[in-house]
């Protein structure tokens, strides 16, 4: 699947063929085309798998606190040069393709929802323990935290000098006042 | 320029030619190619102009308070169906292209910085008046607010059922406690 992700990043989503993926992966074309109902399904699976590897859901499931989550976001967006360029290109390719393909849009929306549900649990635990602002529903704060992560990622990719660490510290200070 | 923006949204950035833009705009090809140093400059100008029209900087310059800014963000992301589909496609096309073209990346980064500077002024005034949390620098809160706007926009385009209004209300509650 990494072969497909690389090809999307290199050529653009629309120019990848199952044949090219098979060649890159060193597999017979029949093996690749047998496993997927067409090129689009293959590329969608490859993109989602690459995102899941870049941001493992296990890390979200293992979060001990909202502070840990902010640390995870800070690590992800803090050093844009450290981001796998295949993954960041793939992210833009997938978002653009999702605008056209409801199936991909649905899959990405579901993936965002999976991360968000784990963040909700972390926020709720923090609120119960008095460490996190309790003046807003956990769901709303989780949506906010997810948006901050995605928005900062987007902006540091456009502007590597963005002070993402400062923004995350500001959010930490806001949330800490319970 | 709208002709170029529409063509980027329809065909994808890489497939637009200055000739196609001239035809769509009903202009002689020479007129279009005379004004721009090549296709890339034309497309970059068209994209930036479309974004500036979709989110006029005057609205940011006229902000009376951080509450107004949150209202502006809520209006922008609250009804994804109301977003101009040309602009949202163009946004994804431009982000993808920016990953490849440092000139476009620089222009988009500068544009984000222009909005952010106006947000900093609004935050600073709110902090001085006691309406906005003063426990973090205005610059950091402005970066946070910009990221929330972009992150929510991205997420509602993938998941129209996202409760963006709830997230914005949570942020309003967080910021109000001064």
């Amino acid at each position: 699947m990494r072969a497909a992700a690389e090809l999307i990043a290199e050529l653009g989503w629309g120019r990848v063929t199952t044949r090219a993926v098979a060649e890159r992966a060193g597999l017979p074309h029949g093996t690749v085309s047998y496993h997927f109902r067409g090129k689009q399904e293959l590329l969608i699976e490859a993109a989602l798998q690459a995102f899941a590897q870049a941001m493992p859901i296990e890390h979200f499931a293992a979060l001990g606190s909202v502070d840990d989550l902010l640390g995870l976001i800070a690590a992800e967006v803090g050093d844009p040069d450290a981001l796998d360029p295949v993954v960041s290109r793939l992210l833009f390719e997938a978002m653009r393709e999702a605008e056209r393909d409801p199936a991909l849009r649905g899959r990405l929306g579901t993936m965002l929802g999976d991360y968000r549900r784990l963040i909700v649990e972390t926020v709720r635990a923090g609120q119960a323990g008095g460490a996190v602002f309790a003046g807003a529903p956990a769901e709303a704060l989780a949506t906010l935290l997810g948006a901050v992560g995605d928005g900062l990622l987007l902006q540091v990719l456009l502007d590597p000098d963005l002070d993402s660490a400062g923004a995350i510290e500001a959010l930490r200070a806001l949330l800490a006042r319970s």
Side-chain angles (χ1 to χ4, degrees), chain A:
Chain A
M1 298 303 261
R2 176 74 186 184
E6 285 172 5
L7 283 169
I8 296 171
E10 283 169 29
L11 305 175
W13 193 285
R15 292 199 179 130
V16 181
T17 60
T18 49
R19 193 169 295 279
V21 173
E23 268 172 36
R24 173 71 60 103
L27 293 169
H29 181 225
T31 309
V32 172
S33 57
Y34 177 81
H35 276 287
F36 298 96
R37 240 174 308 176
K39 175 187 117 167
Q40 193 68 351
E41 192 185 297
L42 166 62
L43 298 192
I44 290 175
E45 287 301 328
L48 289 166
Q49 195 171 308
F51 298 146
Q53 278 172 1
M55 169 125 333
I57 194 131
E58 297 80 24
H59 291 186
F60 285 79
L63 287 169
S65 67
V66 170
D67 260 6
D68 286 354
L69 170 62
L70 292 172
L72 193 62
I73 296 174
E76 182 207 346
V77 304
D79 183 5
D81 291 338
L83 286 171
D84 179 349
V86 167
V87 172
S88 49
R89 277 203 176 179
L90 194 60
L91 196 67
F92 290 123
E93 288 286 338
M95 289 188 301
R96 168 181 180 272
E97 185 67 19
E99 233 279 314
R100 292 152 197 255
D101 181 349
L104 175 56
R105 196 159 63 239
R107 294 286 299 273
L108 288 172
T110 301
M111 192 180 74
L112 286 178
D114 291 342
Y115 287 110
R116 198 160 52 235
R117 264 184 295 284
L118 294 173
I119 299 177
V120 170
E121 286 177 34
T122 306
V123 170
R124 194 170 285 136
Q127 288 178 320
V132 173
F133 176 60
E139 289 78 8
L141 288 171
T143 302
L144 180 67
L145 284 158
V148 169
D150 286 354
L152 285 176
L153 178 61
L154 192 77
Q155 294 200 0
V156 296
L157 288 172
L158 293 175
D159 175 9
D161 295 328
L162 188 85
D163 182 17
S164 61
I168 292 169
E169 281 318 299
L171 184 56
R172 195 190 298 274
L174 283 167
L175 288 166
R177 301 177 307 145
S178 54

